Amino acid sequence: MNKEYKRISIKDVKRLIAIVKINKNESFIDIIREFSNDFAKILNSRLLYYKIYLFPADFEGNKDITFTGILATSHIVISSYTEEDGIYIDIDAAWCSGEKLNKEKLEELLKKYFKNYEIKSFKIYDYLGEESLLS
């Protein structure tokens, strides 16, 4: 058996759903792997595999993406949506490491990679889909 793998219960699963707005001039496509790698570390996990799909440019040369990453403790999916007022990043992550995530930890990571950002929504859910007040 793989030494990294430890048996967990479905009750250990947590999920983050967040929307973050960044400036249009941010080069997020170039840094999304590093961002996700650091995000995995915050979750006490590791990025094992990832794939980035670039959608065709729809206006002004902007390309939107969907990043799918397999973590040692589950997954992370990041999709982008270019709008007139900026780029919106939809972050969907699940983990079962027992790590507690809060908005402040996400903000620290966002500050490292983006000059300007605004967290539009931030929700943590437990394994039953109930919103967790104590992330």
Side-chain angles (χ1 to χ4, degrees), residues 107-123:
E107 284 181 329
E108 286 176 28
L109 182 62
L110 290 166
K111 281 180 196 174
K112 179 177 177 180
Y113 286 98
F114 303 108
K115 293 177 190 127
N116 295 300
Y117 68 88
E118 180 183 355
I119 297 175
K120 295 299 215 173
S121 67
F122 178 93
K123 304 257 187 204

Side-chain angles (χ1 to χ4, degrees), residues 50-105:
Y50 72 93
K51 179 75 175 163
I52 299 175
Y53 180 80
L54 266 57
F55 292 94
D58 57 354
F59 64 94
E60 298 177 18
N62 292 306
K63 290 185 185 245
D64 286 315
I65 66 149
T66 292
F67 171 97
T68 304
I70 304 301
L71 304 179
T73 58
S74 198
H75 70 272
I76 180 170
V77 177
I78 301 173
S79 296
S80 69
Y81 304 90
T82 302
E83 301 289 340
E84 293 296 324
D85 64 336
I87 297 172
Y88 290 80
I89 300 173
D90 174 19
I91 304 171
D92 176 350
W95 66 99
C96 55
S97 64
E99 191 62 35
K100 302 216 181 286
L101 178 67
N102 59 37
K103 199 172 186 178
E104 290 75 25
K105 286 183 183 179

